[in-house]
């Protein structure tokens, strides 16, 4: 290698390292929220079951959907649409979004009575929405999530190139050495499941493609979104309400017919447009469990007569490719072991982001006293990295403690989560980091333990019991961490050595 | 880690270098990807909806490619010029092809 090209490469590597740090810094907290919420969303139906302990056991999808449409027919008028998710092996309620008098409601419907379940809660949907909407109004949350994902892609690409000893780092961890340990940990977390990190970032960006990369659509279709939609899903029917009332034909026979068309695959989503109108349309989709791709088929019925209007099985390569990528991100296809691997990959990415943000501070602290900006960042790290999970744990506790009859109960649970996270952020900003870290992490451990205790801890339902075990394990791990932190602090501080150049 | 001697001599030149490459590798990369999506959506020889879908997916592969290239290019101005040239070419293709019926 000539001297000049070595210099160019060294410069590029250094610039990449710089860019890696700054992209991570800029949206690190947002990425932390996205990754933590996304990791939990892997078990969205299970979280929903934990949060609705009154409904237990399996539910029959056809009976549950019939009960749901009966209840909705009796309790909504002039609705533009009902969007229902049938229960399956994991979920045991009908998740419904419907408009009632102009306002859109999201409710879990009891699989037997069809009425909303008493414990009004968003359940796992809260984590799912937080993952890509960040509790911000449409489209700003999704745009911010897209921007964060794009920066993450830059951070991953630059992180790889900034790396000198790619494979060695998988096996390197030097404990108890300050900056060196944080760097080793960050590298190992980043590198060990790098293929997962790249996959999940890419596919995540693609799920929001129509928002963050609409230029291909604009070039091909201009503003004609309706044509694009009918081209993408030829099995759907778009027609206006007629204004004439007509009761919905029996849904059970439509569901049975749909399942036959899907080759025996159970139904998953049932969309009913203009219910109660003579021009009502019922569109049914199969479960995605059998294949990685989403929406491999769809079938639409005339709502008033129950006759098939259109049916479509997706075989086009380009569309299938997109659906496969989409499905790879959603992981609905994944059997239990794969789901745990998604969870593990997500957890490692979350920790890689958190350790990267801590590393930014540790690295600068070991060289010189921190600047004002970095001291603020250090405290933001305490409040943000501990505050987000504190809000989530508070959300679970609110689910058990808020009275069932409370108005807007589901929203109140979310408020508790946001206020708790906000309070933790404030505490992190006010307290000295040396005090803030153990205090907030200890608080998080207590909240996790409390949530598990309120489960109740010896729940009969296996899903709830597993959730309690996970919460307890998290509490114990955090407790150990805090204990170690406190013990090290009481020991005499070792003299700081100047880091040898890497 | 100490900066290479080459850059230590002129700190500001180094900073301008990185700033230009960063702009080319982020905003520029997105621009090239967006125009690439538009050009492919209009020219790929397949049904319109498939061309649009495929073009959008490929665009996400173009962006990180441009990012890497912006940092490996011989000089910062070369990175900026390269990105602009690619954007111009792809935008031109999209414009000439026109919106498919």
């Amino acid at each position: 290698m000539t001297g000049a090209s070595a210099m160019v490469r060294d410069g590029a590597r250094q610039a990449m390292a710089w860019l890696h740090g700054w992209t991570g810094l800029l949206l690190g907290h947002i990425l932390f929220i996205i990754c933590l919420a996304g990791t939990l969303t892997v078990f969205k139906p299970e979280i929903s079951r934990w949060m609705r302990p009154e409904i237990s056991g399996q539910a029959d999808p056809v009976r549950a959907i019939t009960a749901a449409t009966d209840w909705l027919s009796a309790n909504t008028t002039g609705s533009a649409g009902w969007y229902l998710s049938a229960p399956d092996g994991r979920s045991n309620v009908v998740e419904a979004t419907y408009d009632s008098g102009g306002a859109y409601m999201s409710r879990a419907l009891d699989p037997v009575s069809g009425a909303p379940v008493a414990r009004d809660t968003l359940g796992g949907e809260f984590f799912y929405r937080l993952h890509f909407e960040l509790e911000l109004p449409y489209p700003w949350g999704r745009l911010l999530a897209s921007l964060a994902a794009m920066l993450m892609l830059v951070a991953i690409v630059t992180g790889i190139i900034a790396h000198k000893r790619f494979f060695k780092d998988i096996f390197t961890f030097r404990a108890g050495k300050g900056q060196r340990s944080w760097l080793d940990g960050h590298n190992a977390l980043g590198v060990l499941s790098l293929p997962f990190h790249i996959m999940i970032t890419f596919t995540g960006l693609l799920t929001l493609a129509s928002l963050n990369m609409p230029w291909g659509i604009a070039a091909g279709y201009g503003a004609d979104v309706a044509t694009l939609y009918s081209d993408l899903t030829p099995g759907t029917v778009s027609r206006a309400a007629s204004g004439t009332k007509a009761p919905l034909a029996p849904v059970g026979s439509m569901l049975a017919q749909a399942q036959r068309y899907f080759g025996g695959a159970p139904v998953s989503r049932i969309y009913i447009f203009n219910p109660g109108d003579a021009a009502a349309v019922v569109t049914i989709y199969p479960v995605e469990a059998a294949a990685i791709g989403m929406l491999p088929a769809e079938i639409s019925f005339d709502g008033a007569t129950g006759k098939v209007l259109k049916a479509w099985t997706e075989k086009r390569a380009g569309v299938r490719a997109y659906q496969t990528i989409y499905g790879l991100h959603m992981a609905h296809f994944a059997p239990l072991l794969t789901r745990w691997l998604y969870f593990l990959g997500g957890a490692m990415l979350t920790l890689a982001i958190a350790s990267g943000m801590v590393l930014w501070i540790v690295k600068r602290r070991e060289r010189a006293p921190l600047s004002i900006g970095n001291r603020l960042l250090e405290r933001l790290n305490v409040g943000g990295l501990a505050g987000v999970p504190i809000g989530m744990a508070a959300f679970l506790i609110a689910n058990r403690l808020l009275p069932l009859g409370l108005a807007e109960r589901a929203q109140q649970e979310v408020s508790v989560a946001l206020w708790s996270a906000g309070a933790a952020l404030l505490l992190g900003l006010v307290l000295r980091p040396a005090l803030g870290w153990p205090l907030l992490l200890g608080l998080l451990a207590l909240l996790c333990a409390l949530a598990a205790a309120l489960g109740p801890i010896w729940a009969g339902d296996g899903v709830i019991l597993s959730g309690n075990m996970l919460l307890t394990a998290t509490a114990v791990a955090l407790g150990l961490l805090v204990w170690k932190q406190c013990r090290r602090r009481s020991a005499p501080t070792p003299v700081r050595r100047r880091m040898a150049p890497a | 880690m100490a900066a290479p001697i080459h850059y230590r001599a002129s700190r500001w030149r180094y900073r301008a270098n990185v700033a230009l490459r960063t702009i080319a590798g982020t905003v520029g990369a997105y621009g090239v990807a967006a125009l690439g999506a538009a050009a492919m959506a209009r020219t790929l020889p397949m049904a319109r909806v498939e061309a649009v879908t495929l073009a959008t997916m490929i665009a996400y592969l173009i962006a990180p490619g441009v990012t890497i290239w912006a940092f490996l290019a011989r000089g910062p101005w070369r990175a900026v010029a390269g990105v602009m040239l690619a954007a111009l070419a792809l935008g031109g293709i999209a414009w000439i092809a026109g919106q498919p019926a």
Side-chain angles (χ1 to χ4, degrees), chain A residues 21-355:
Chain A
W22 279 93
T23 46
L25 182 76
L26 205 57
L27 284 174
H29 282 99
I30 301 291
L31 284 169
F32 178 73
I33 298 175
I34 292 175
C35 288
L36 183 56
T39 302
L40 295 171
T41 301
V42 172
F43 291 112
K44 177 183 160 206
E46 286 76 15
I47 293 174
S48 292
R49 280 181 69 162
W50 192 93
M51 297 184 74
R52 296 187 188 106
E54 286 83 5
I55 314 282
S56 67
Q58 300 289 18
D60 173 51
V62 173
R63 263 190 58 195
I65 290 295
T66 308
T69 51
D70 286 348
W71 186 87
L72 286 166
S73 293
N75 291 280
T76 62
T77 46
S79 189
W82 305 335
Y83 308 92
L84 312 177
S85 279
D88 52 30
R90 298 172 65 193
S91 158
N92 60 4
V93 293
V94 176
E95 306 242 18
T97 298
Y98 54 94
D99 82 320
S100 180
Y104 267 90
M105 322 271 270
S106 280
R107 292 282 184 278
L109 305 181
D110 186 285
V112 178
S113 72
V117 301
R119 193 177 293 271
D120 181 21
T121 175
L122 288 180
E125 186 80 7
F126 169 71
F127 298 97
Y128 173 63
R129 295 280 160 184
L130 182 64
H131 173 59
F132 65 99
E133 292 181 338
L134 299 160
E135 289 294 318
L136 294 173
Y138 181 86
W140 302 110
R142 293 177 186 215
L143 283 175
L144 183 58
S146 294
L147 182 68
M150 283 177 191
L151 279 186
M152 171 104 119
L153 206 56
V154 173
I156 289 178
V157 168
T158 51
I160 296 170
I161 297 178
H163 242 275
K164 283 188 182 159
R165 312 163 311 128
F166 198 77
F167 290 101
K168 234 180 180 172
D169 277 333
I170 297 180
F171 306 105
T172 310
F173 185 75
R174 287 155 284 186
K177 289 215 164 104
Q179 179 189 349
R180 184 50 70 192
S181 307
W182 281 101
L183 184 61
D184 285 348
H186 180 67
N187 287 342
L189 285 165
V191 172
L192 198 55
S193 56
L194 188 66
F196 175 83
H197 303 337
I198 294 175
M199 179 279 283
I200 213 73
T201 312
F202 255 115
T203 55
L205 264 175
L206 270 150
T207 58
L208 297 177
S210 61
L211 258 184
N212 62 40
M213 191 59 78
W215 315 112
I217 296 171
Y221 285 88
D224 191 3
V225 183
T227 308
L228 167 72
Y229 188 69
S230 67
D231 278 1
L232 267 178
T233 52
T236 57
V237 176
S238 169
R239 64 182 187 193
S242 67
T244 320
K245 279 188 193 306
L248 196 63
V251 179
S253 71
M254 294 185 226
L255 292 171
Q257 217 174 324
Q259 195 169 351
R260 272 200 303 280
Y261 177 71
F262 300 146
V267 300
S268 75
R269 287 170 300 137
I270 297 95
Y271 294 169
I272 302 167
F273 304 95
N274 299 315
D277 189 275
V281 174
V282 179
T283 302
I284 302 176
Y285 302 91
V287 289
E288 302 118 26
I292 286 184
M294 294 266 294
L295 309 184
E298 65 237 7
I299 182 166
S300 293
F301 297 88
D302 185 279
T305 63
K307 289 208 174 77
V308 176
L309 293 173
K310 275 182 182 177
W312 175 262
T313 303
E314 190 56 70
K315 289 183 183 127
R316 295 169 297 182
V319 181
R320 285 288 288 144
Y322 179 73
Q323 288 169 350
T324 303
I325 287 172
Y326 198 104
L328 210 54
H329 191 85
M330 303 298 277
H332 289 161
F333 72 93
L336 191 63
L337 180 66
T338 318
R339 225 174 295 145
W340 273 104
L341 288 177
Y342 265 81
F343 184 84
L344 200 67
M348 286 175 75
L349 186 54
T350 310
L351 289 175
I353 292 165
S355 61

Side-chain angles (χ1 to χ4, degrees), chain B residues 76-88:
Chain B
W77 288 110
R78 261 178 100 98
V80 172
V83 164
M84 286 174 82
L85 209 66
L88 219 63

